[in-house]
Amino acid sequence: MARVPFIGRLFWRQYLALIGSIVLIFLEGIIRVITLGLPQPIIRFCYNRSKGLFNLLSSPRGRQLRSRKQTISSSIARASDFVDLCALYGYYAEEHVVQTGDGYLLGLHRLGWRKGEEGSRVNTGQDSLRKKVVYLHHGLMMNSEVWVCLTEKERCLPLMLVEKGYDVWLGNNRGNKYSKKSTRHSPNTHAFWDFSIDEFAFHDIPDSINYILKTTSQSTLSYVGFSQGTAQAFATLSIHPTLNDKVDLFVALAPAMAPAGLSNGIVDSLVKASPEVIFLAFGRRSILSSTTMWQTILYPPIFTRLIDMSLAFLFGWKTKNISAHQKLAAYPHLYSYTSTKSMVHWFQIIRNKSFQMYDDDVQAPLSLGASDRYYKVAKFPTRNIKTPIVLMYGGSDSLVDIKVMLKELPRHTIAKEIPHFEHLDFLWGQGLDTLVFPHVFSALEEHAGRDHLKDGHFKYNHSKNGSLNFTQSSEYSEDDASSPTAGGGFIGRPLKKRNMISSESPPVRISEANLDDSSPSISNTSAFQQSMFDTSDSSSPSPVGDGSSLKSHARQKRMGSVSKAGSVESLAGLRHFGEKGISLGSSKATVSGVAQPTMIKEADRGGSIHGRR
């Protein structure tokens, strides 16, 4: 196809930024070649000089605080692999290898034993301990170590899951520290690194899940992903319909599907540039492999500062919610190898604002004949996902555009905002054990091991305490419906009139318009908000009835109440949950009572749970 040269792709300032970045990459390559040839004494000399310079410039109080936390941070930072990291807390970890359909050998790690259970058999037969399985997957340029390099056990999700009786598995992508081997290609060849998110979705995730289920003799598992680990699950579940039968719950921490983009000029120019330019700058094998060099020659606090500056420069993250000693412990485990092609794939997704498969035939903007009428890259059909989805995202995460994301996900998706969290806070931030883990545990208690296709999506059972009082509501303005809530939530399409259900807690609204299609919308309910994940069974359920009967009941009893204690059941299409409301999907709801507050305490601090209309 005839092409006009790619001059029209970027502005002249972006060309300058792109040329400057390529020059810096070239200089870094020269430094790396030089350091690889240096003897060990010279490397130690550089390390000690950087250490002395840092101590000279730091305050005495800072040196005292570092020495106080140095023992545990240093032990974690120096741990050589996943097994050693777990051993620091006294846990036994297994290592497994799964072969993908295209010949890559992926490392899997297993934490299936509480302390004292090391000699027991878990999920290996009738006489063994039977445990529900949870699978965790890491993010971009990471490996499974990022889940267990925390300075407090209480903030370590895998260890907390083990203590709650789960059989925990952790996966790794092809090309990283634990999966740098193939039966067909050597890591020194371009062919080995010729993979993108497509290969993660078509091979790595489904093959890992099938191996785990076969090994544990279980029929389902629960999936917890972080960042790109969530994108891989979105892609995998969308293109493998039968895999939805095997994943009973998908919890997405800091979800990534179509990032909003980056404000930095240099990175923005790389995003818009042709893939050939990216491959020219970074090569066609692993990307940013020189990171390990800087980690070797720099004193850890300086390396930590360098990472913080890079994160602020690229994404605007301040990382204030991650303590200094946690950074010293975790940052040495942050980077792992991945392909340049997978990064190019993300650039294509950001540029096109579409969660699509890799584009092998990128068209320049001024290409003759380049048109969506003749060529369109296949999108991952994420609305086809049947597995229950719980999203947890940070209010200060520049990589998450929750409104755009929810439009591309199925109606049963539930989203929860942690207002002040940034991207990496979901791995290492302060408050994980109180702000994030309770929702993860509650969702697992509700769905792990259940057949969601038969039972329906998201049936939340509430305790018998509390009642609902019906009153007539006033007009509902269109502006209120289309604007964010006080807690950061987003209410979907506007509804003109609503009937209100009120209680001692803030009132609950039921939309009269939606009652006709059995799709009520519930707003301003603290009790719903705080007890959404309460899994306690009601001792005396008293359903009001289906949508039509609920409508009639609302009309007949303007100021009455539902006196019988009961539960809120079959919320099969839960859409919005926040300061201003919940709205339900197309399935019918039966309402008879509201539980006392039990969970989601941070919602009162500005959090919200909501979904897409």
Side-chain angles (χ1 to χ4, degrees), residues 12-197:
W12 66 270
R13 291 188 183 89
Q14 294 173 326
Y15 275 112
L16 291 178
L18 181 61
I19 294 173
S21 64
I22 293 176
V23 170
L24 292 176
I25 293 170
F26 178 74
L27 292 176
E28 184 189 44
I30 295 177
I31 295 174
R32 187 185 182 202
V33 171
I34 294 174
T35 54
L36 287 175
L38 291 177
Q40 194 65 28
I42 296 180
I43 294 178
R44 283 200 300 269
F45 174 81
C46 295
Y47 178 90
N48 291 331
R49 295 286 73 75
S50 64
K51 176 180 178 180
L53 178 63
F54 181 85
N55 289 330
L56 179 65
L57 298 177
S58 61
S59 64
R61 183 174 179 273
R63 289 195 293 270
Q64 292 175 0
L65 291 175
R66 285 196 302 276
S67 62
R68 196 177 306 161
K69 297 285 187 178
Q70 187 174 11
T71 303
I72 182 64
S73 297
S74 298
S75 299
I76 295 173
R78 289 196 301 265
S80 61
D81 58 20
F82 183 91
V83 175
D84 286 348
L85 285 167
C86 296
L88 292 175
Y89 284 106
Y91 288 87
Y92 170 73
E94 280 187 352
E95 295 182 283
H96 293 252
V97 177
V98 56
Q99 181 174 336
T100 66
D102 56 348
Y104 284 80
L105 304 180
L106 311 180
L108 295 175
H109 293 109
R110 184 185 190 184
L111 286 166
W113 298 266
R114 296 187 180 104
K115 292 182 179 179
E117 290 183 345
E118 292 80 3
S120 304
R121 297 167 63 238
V122 174
N123 289 336
T124 56
Q126 293 183 349
D127 297 332
S128 64
L129 296 176
R130 307 301 293 173
K131 296 185 178 184
K132 297 176 182 178
V133 179
V134 179
Y135 175 70
L136 282 71
H137 204 88
H138 59 78
L140 177 65
M141 292 193 292
M142 297 179 178
N143 61 56
S144 55
E145 294 175 11
V146 297
W147 295 103
V148 292
C149 56
L150 289 101
T151 54
E152 291 91 23
K153 172 186 171 181
E154 293 72 21
R155 293 187 298 114
C156 183
L157 182 57
L159 299 186
M160 291 295 96
L161 289 172
V162 170
E163 287 301 318
K164 285 185 171 292
Y166 292 97
D167 187 359
V168 182
W169 292 71
L170 301 96
N172 287 282
N173 285 339
R174 62 182 63 195
N176 79 4
K177 175 178 178 178
Y178 297 102
S179 308
K180 203 172 180 180
K181 189 173 180 58
S182 169
T183 60
R184 303 178 184 178
H185 309 291
S186 167
N188 297 322
T189 64
H190 290 165
F192 178 91
W193 299 98
D194 186 22
F195 59 81
S196 65
I197 299 175

Side-chain angles (χ1 to χ4, degrees), residues 149-305:
C149 56
L150 289 101
T151 54
E152 291 91 23
K153 172 186 171 181
E154 293 72 21
R155 293 187 298 114
C156 183
L157 182 57
L159 299 186
M160 291 295 96
L161 289 172
V162 170
E163 287 301 318
K164 285 185 171 292
Y166 292 97
D167 187 359
V168 182
W169 292 71
L170 301 96
N172 287 282
N173 285 339
R174 62 182 63 195
N176 79 4
K177 175 178 178 178
Y178 297 102
S179 308
K180 203 172 180 180
K181 189 173 180 58
S182 169
T183 60
R184 303 178 184 178
H185 309 291
S186 167
N188 297 322
T189 64
H190 290 165
F192 178 91
W193 299 98
D194 186 22
F195 59 81
S196 65
I197 299 175
D198 293 359
E199 282 69 32
F200 299 152
F202 280 99
H203 297 288
D204 291 13
I205 299 298
D207 290 346
S208 296
I209 289 175
N210 288 330
Y211 175 88
I212 293 170
L213 293 178
K214 183 178 180 180
T215 303
T216 58
S217 300
Q218 297 290 319
S219 59
T220 65
L221 58 74
S222 303
Y223 185 105
V224 180
F226 168 77
S227 190
Q228 182 180 280
T230 69
Q232 294 174 212
F234 286 133
T236 301
L237 293 172
S238 70
I239 60 178
H240 295 282
T242 58
L243 201 64
N244 287 259
D245 300 335
K246 301 177 182 179
V247 180
D248 49 46
L249 174 68
F250 171 26
V251 177
L253 305 178
M257 187 163 61
L262 306 173
S263 58
N264 179 268
I266 292 179
V267 179
D268 187 59
S269 64
L270 289 173
V271 169
K272 295 179 179 178
S274 170
E276 285 75 13
V277 177
I278 310 299
F279 288 127
L280 177 64
F282 296 100
R284 290 188 174 270
R285 294 191 286 183
S286 61
I287 191 170
L288 298 179
S289 55
S290 59
T291 303
T292 55
M293 173 202 72
W294 294 111
Q295 184 176 336
T296 302
I297 66 176
L298 293 178
Y299 183 51
I302 294 181
F303 179 74
T304 299
R305 292 283 180 88

Side-chain angles (χ1 to χ4, degrees), residues 483-494:
S483 60
T485 68
F490 183 80
I491 305 301
R493 292 189 296 269

Side-chain angles (χ1 to χ4, degrees), residues 257-261 346-356 379 404 408:
M257 187 163 61
W346 273 117
F347 288 169
Q348 292 178 356
I349 291 172
I350 295 173
R351 181 173 66 246
N352 298 321
K353 298 180 180 179
S354 173
F355 190 49
Q356 65 182 41
K379 293 178 61 177
V404 173
E408 299 300 324

Side-chain angles (χ1 to χ4, degrees), residues 295-317:
Q295 184 176 336
T296 302
I297 66 176
L298 293 178
Y299 183 51
I302 294 181
F303 179 74
T304 299
R305 292 283 180 88
L306 182 63
I307 296 296
D308 282 342
M309 291 171 59
S310 300
L311 295 175
F313 178 74
L314 295 174
F315 310 110
W317 300 338

